[in-house]
Amino acid sequence: MKTKLFLTIAAIMLVLFSCNKDSDVIDQSSLDDADLEVVSDAVFEDVFSLADDASLRIEAKGEEDLTTDCPVITVTKPEGALWPKTVTMDFGTGCTGLNENVRSGRIIMVVTGPRLQAGSKRTVTFDNYYFNGMKIEGTKEFLNKGYNDRQNLVISVTLTGGKLILPDGRTVERAVAHEREWIAGLLTPNISDDECKITGVATGKTRADVSYTNTILEPLYLKRACRFITKGIVKIERGTETPVTIDYGNGDCDAKAIVTKGDQSKEILLKFRPR
């Protein structure tokens, strides 16, 4: 009787152990979700870069000298007033621009005050906007919170109703509550020396309709001279799955990241579109 009981317990423990080990395997689903986290972040960070670049152009050159092939930028404002300004970035039926990405449609930004003025907001919406074949939706707001005790400018970044509609028709939903601390390049006219540190969380649903929470465990470092985030760690939590982390590295300007689940790790190459 004791032998049978022992064998039964052993069998149960083996099953439980096997299930636990399987949950720690980096399967294709885990890699796909990590990949789409990278793509989602890159797409909406690109929106920030475009918005900030347009703001710099307007303040440096004025509203009448915004000539550019991609996008065409126009500014409108109430008669007799400086603010708010509505900035439209029109990519037409498609053109290749920043970081050699293909964009089409329009990004519309309403600006309440100068870029560096505490309390000013930039609210971005999309009009049939596509990025590398993905349709982008949502409202993204940038609020200038002024300078912190390190004398670095802090921008609150929120995304509501965010969606990436993939070429196959599936949808990734996303909401963001981030803070961006400007650590270099803020006051220069050259955007290539800009560096920011990003903290916060993102939530939403994967293309398989599974809810997720992505928490920045170690601040993400964004250098405008680099195509992708260069440093920091994000934790992805999906339902009852073992969490997955993405480690962007030690600051090098490359296209590599390490995905970890349980005790397994795998290097991935960062891209601006899902695989």
Side-chain angles (χ1 to χ4, degrees):
M1 187 68 178
K2 288 182 178 180
T3 301
K4 288 183 178 180
L5 179 61
F6 174 78
L7 291 174
T8 300
I9 293 173
I12 293 172
M13 292 298 292
L14 180 60
V15 169
L16 291 175
F17 178 75
S18 298
C19 291
N20 184 60
K21 290 297 286 183
D22 288 345
S23 70
D24 290 347
V25 172
I26 301 182
D27 54 9
Q28 192 59 47
S29 174
S30 298
L31 287 175
D32 288 345
D33 285 346
D35 181 57
L36 275 176
E37 161 60 18
V38 170
V39 172
S40 299
D41 203 55
V43 168
F44 285 108
E45 285 300 332
D46 181 74
V47 172
F48 182 93
S49 295
L50 291 169
D52 206 57
D53 188 30
S55 299
L56 278 170
R57 280 179 182 272
I58 292 167
E59 293 185 7
K61 296 186 175 183
E63 298 165 20
E64 305 302 324
D65 185 18
L66 299 173
T67 303
T68 174
D69 292 333
C70 180
V72 174
I73 302 173
T74 56
V75 180
T76 59
K77 59 188 178 184
E79 187 175 351
L82 286 176
W83 310 99
K85 295 178 181 178
T86 299
V87 182
T88 301
M89 292 167 268
D90 192 340
F91 298 88
T93 58
C95 58
T96 302
L98 186 64
N99 287 323
E100 299 181 355
N101 292 305
V102 179
R103 304 166 181 84
S104 64
R106 301 193 306 165
I107 294 176
I108 301 167
M109 176 173 65
V110 177
V111 186
T112 66
R115 173 174 173 263
L116 300 182
Q117 179 179 289
S120 66
K121 290 182 182 179
R122 289 177 284 175
T123 303
V124 173
T125 54
F126 306 96
D127 178 17
N128 203 36
Y129 177 67
Y130 285 79
F131 179 96
N132 289 338
M134 298 173 286
K135 188 175 184 182
I136 312 303
E137 297 180 355
T139 299
K140 193 161 189 179
E141 183 179 274
F142 310 105
L143 171 63
N144 185 323
K145 298 181 70 175
Y147 290 84
N148 61 16
D149 55 5
R150 291 183 290 276
Q151 295 305 303
N152 291 331
L153 186 70
V154 176
I155 305 291
S156 169
V157 181
T158 59
L159 171 67
T160 56
K163 285 185 180 180
L164 273 69
I165 302 174
L166 305 176
D168 64 7
R170 287 185 289 178
T171 298
V172 178
E173 298 180 13
R174 191 172 183 83
V176 166
H178 283 173
E179 277 201 349
R180 176 187 297 257
E181 179 181 351
W182 222 289
I183 57 178
L186 175 66
L187 300 179
T188 69
N190 183 5
I191 63 173
S192 65
D193 63 359
D194 290 357
E195 295 184 26
C196 297
K197 183 171 70 173
I198 304 166
T199 56
V201 298
T203 59
K205 288 186 178 181
T206 69
R207 57 184 169 184
D209 203 34
V210 176
S211 295
Y212 68 81
T213 299
N214 297 344
T215 305
I216 299 175
L217 298 181
E218 295 184 10
L220 303 181
Y221 284 80
L222 180 67
K223 299 178 182 180
R224 290 284 294 276
C226 302
R227 290 167 59 86
F228 300 100
I229 290 168
T230 63
K231 186 179 179 181
I233 298 176
V234 177
K235 179 173 71 173
I236 303 175
E237 297 174 280
R238 303 172 297 160
T240 59
E241 287 276 336
T242 299
V244 173
T245 62
I246 304 173
D247 187 338
Y248 285 93
N250 59 8
D252 292 338
C253 192
D254 59 23
K256 298 177 181 178
I258 301 295
V259 176
T260 299
K261 186 178 183 183
D263 59 0
Q264 292 195 1
S265 296
K266 183 178 179 63
E267 184 178 273
I268 63 172
L269 291 179
L270 307 177
K271 294 188 175 183
F272 282 108
R273 65 190 78 211
R275 290 164 177 78

